[in-house]
Amino acid sequence: GNSVTQMEGPVTLSEEAFLTINCTYTATGYPSLFWYVQYPGEGLQLLLKATKADDKGSNKGFEATYRKETTSFHLEKGSVQVSDSAVYFCALRNNNDMRFGAGTRLTVKP
Amino acid sequence: DAGVIQSPRHEVTEMGQEVTLRCKPISGHNSLFWYRQTMMRGLELLIYFNNNVPIDDSGMPEDRFSAKMPNASFSTLKIQPSEPRDSAVYFCASSRTAKDSPLHFGNGTRLTVT
């Protein structure tokens, strides 16, 4: 079946620190992979996506590369800001089967 | 693009009452999903529709929950009778059918059952 496992939080970093949130997946076939971000009181928003092996998704300084050999899609950012504090969800879509990880809460301190 | 619109934003009701949550998907999207989010269980898929037809409702907790999509621009999730353990944030999301299409989420309905 399809599933997503992501790094448990919470993660607390100082401003300008490097961020990595690990995500691995299990799927049949060739799913598309996504990272979503959720700010307090809001729904999930798409952050970036990758649709095939070796694709790199990027947005707002965040990046993730679709690694089929390691079934991973780790989220990275070189220098986090206080405004990046939110909950981050890794997700995969295999046709209409959409699976989300448990979410990782990130807090960035000034 | 108005985004996915959910109503109400907040709902407080007493145990045993009927609750109806509403969703208007993005125009042109033919897949619609209902999710429930709690601290304990995270984000759970309740049901999804494709072209207004329910495809998978295996996530619906029990018979007290029902969902309908009478047309491409409207869906409801009903809980009857409601119980305190139904308290959660309920999200509606829509997308195109293509597997590389992301889901677009509404801002959710926060349900509190006392």
Side-chain angles (χ1 to χ4, degrees):
Chain A
N2 301 312
S3 67
V4 175
T5 303
Q6 69 180 96
M7 176 174 137
E8 286 195 21
V11 174
T12 303
L13 296 173
S14 297
E15 205 164 23
E16 299 184 4
F18 185 86
L19 168 71
T20 300
I21 301 178
N22 289 339
C23 172
T24 57
Y25 69 90
T26 303
T28 54
Y30 303 94
S32 295
L33 302 175
F34 306 86
W35 276 100
Y36 285 82
V37 59
Q38 184 179 31
Y39 299 102
E42 298 183 11
L44 280 68
Q45 303 173 24
L46 178 68
L47 181 58
L48 53 85
K49 74 174 187 179
T51 58
K52 61 182 187 298
D54 301 324
D55 266 2
K56 178 187 283 187
S58 61
N59 186 25
K60 299 180 182 178
F62 292 89
E63 294 183 340
T65 301
Y66 191 143
R67 301 283 187 203
K68 194 162 177 64
E69 64 274 16
T70 54
T71 61
S72 65
F73 193 54
H74 304 321
L75 182 68
E76 296 182 336
K77 186 173 185 180
S79 176
V80 293
Q81 305 300 312
V82 173
S83 57
D84 293 328
S85 298
V87 181
Y88 292 81
F89 292 87
C90 185
L92 73 78
R93 183 169 186 172
N94 214 349
N95 297 311
N96 262 331
D97 190 4
M98 187 82 191
R99 301 282 171 163
F100 287 85
T104 302
R105 181 175 299 278
L106 170 67
T107 302
V108 180
K109 297 190 172 180
Chain B
D1 182 355
V4 175
I5 299 172
Q6 291 187 246
S7 63
R9 284 300 310 271
H10 302 275
E11 177 80 39
V12 180
T13 191
E14 291 183 349
M15 182 172 63
Q17 297 299 305
E18 177 180 295
V19 174
T20 299
L21 311 181
R22 296 174 176 79
C23 175
K24 177 178 169 54
I26 292 172
S27 178
H29 284 187
N30 47 8
S31 294
L32 184 139
F33 304 74
W34 281 101
Y35 286 89
R36 177 171 69 176
Q37 186 178 42
T38 61
M39 289 293 291
M40 291 295 293
R41 301 169 72 95
L43 199 62
E44 302 173 276
L45 176 64
L46 300 177
I47 185 171
Y48 76 84
F49 295 82
N50 205 32
N51 293 320
N52 312 338
V53 176
I55 302 300
D56 183 356
D57 65 354
S58 59
M60 296 286 262
E62 44 196 280
D63 291 346
R64 298 184 296 106
F65 286 69
S66 62
K68 293 183 180 179
M69 192 164 186
N71 57 63
S73 58
F74 185 65
S75 177
T76 59
L77 177 68
K78 186 177 292 187
I79 308 172
Q80 165 65 18
S82 57
E83 297 183 3
R85 60 192 168 119
D86 302 330
S87 298
V89 181
Y90 291 80
F91 288 104
C92 176
S94 71
S95 79
R96 301 186 191 283
T97 304
K99 76 165 193 181
D100 62 347
S101 295
L103 270 59
H104 297 256
F105 283 78
N107 281 330
T109 295
R110 180 174 294 278
L111 173 65
T112 303
V113 183
T114 61

